[in-house]
Amino acid sequence: MKLFEFTSNQPEETMSFAKRLAELLLPGDVIALEGDLGAGKTTFTKGLALGLEIKRNVNSPTFTIIKEYQGRMPLYHMDVYRVKDSFEDLGFDEYFEGNGVTVVEWAHLIKDQLPSELLSISLFLGENGARKIVLAPIGKRYEELCKEFFI
Ligand code: ADP
Ligand code: MG
């Protein structure tokens, strides 16, 4: 699988990277976000929201698990950190199959419920605010998306 990498040195850079990516997203796209606590998953999602022309402030849905925002199209923002077991079904499918973009923080925790094709994005903590952002497209749609984005 081809991986696409980017290094961000500050939160604003992570957000503008995500904003540019969001400009290419289509209804039904699913992004699986991985990375330790504080790696920047929610910061990345805030950038996506900007690119989707969402005006409301996006913050972590840790306690609610799913939050929905309206922009150029809906953004379904999930943080499944507190989902008790990987099979606990909170109706995720309806979001994945909905007409918005779904972003899942800690996606591997519900890996059995994820769609077979998605864009996996991992954030790695580095020194002095640096973050390595690695995009791993799974499926043709996401391979094309990454190619277009990284031209
Ligand atoms: P997560 O959702 O992965 O737990 P958050 O996005 O909530 O992470 O928090 C990331 C924290 O790290 C924020 O306080 C953000 O300002 C800070 N930060 C510092 N440098 C960066 C960077 N390059 N990219 C993203 N966040 C960064
Ligand atoms: Mg978060």
Side-chain angles (χ1 to χ4, degrees), residues 45-65:
T45 308
K46 286 174 188 280
L48 287 175
L50 289 176
L52 294 175
E53 296 161 43
I54 288 160
K55 308 286 181 241
R56 270 171 64 204
N57 181 44
V58 168
N59 46 40
S60 181
T62 303
F63 294 96
T64 49
I65 301 185

Side-chain angles (χ1 to χ4, degrees), residues 8-11 14 36-43 105 129-131:
S8 158
N9 291 300
Q10 46 188 350
T14 297
D36 290 341
L37 204 66
K41 301 179 294 300
T42 299
T43 303
E105 298 193 32
R131 300 291 191 276

Side-chain angles (χ1 to χ4, degrees), residues 6-99:
F6 177 79
T7 300
S8 158
N9 291 300
Q10 46 188 350
E12 294 72 21
E13 224 178 306
T14 297
M15 284 177 63
S16 64
F17 177 81
K19 178 174 182 278
R20 282 196 294 114
L21 177 67
E23 284 158 11
L24 301 177
L25 293 177
L26 299 173
D29 282 345
V30 176
I31 295 179
L33 285 181
E34 306 291 354
D36 290 341
L37 204 66
K41 301 179 294 300
T42 299
T43 303
F44 189 93
T45 308
K46 286 174 188 280
L48 287 175
L50 289 176
L52 294 175
E53 296 161 43
I54 288 160
K55 308 286 181 241
R56 270 171 64 204
N57 181 44
V58 168
N59 46 40
S60 181
T62 303
F63 294 96
T64 49
I65 301 185
I66 301 171
K67 280 190 189 169
E68 190 170 334
Y69 300 88
Q70 204 53 241
R72 171 164 72 77
M73 61 183 135
L75 168 67
Y76 311 122
H77 183 198
M78 304 178 184
D79 182 329
V80 298
Y81 190 72
R82 274 161 212 280
V83 169
K84 299 262 176 336
D85 73 84
S86 64
F87 292 99
E88 186 180 354
D89 185 357
L90 298 170
F92 299 120
D93 268 358
E94 294 201 18
Y95 294 94
F96 299 143
E97 286 154 21
N99 52 11

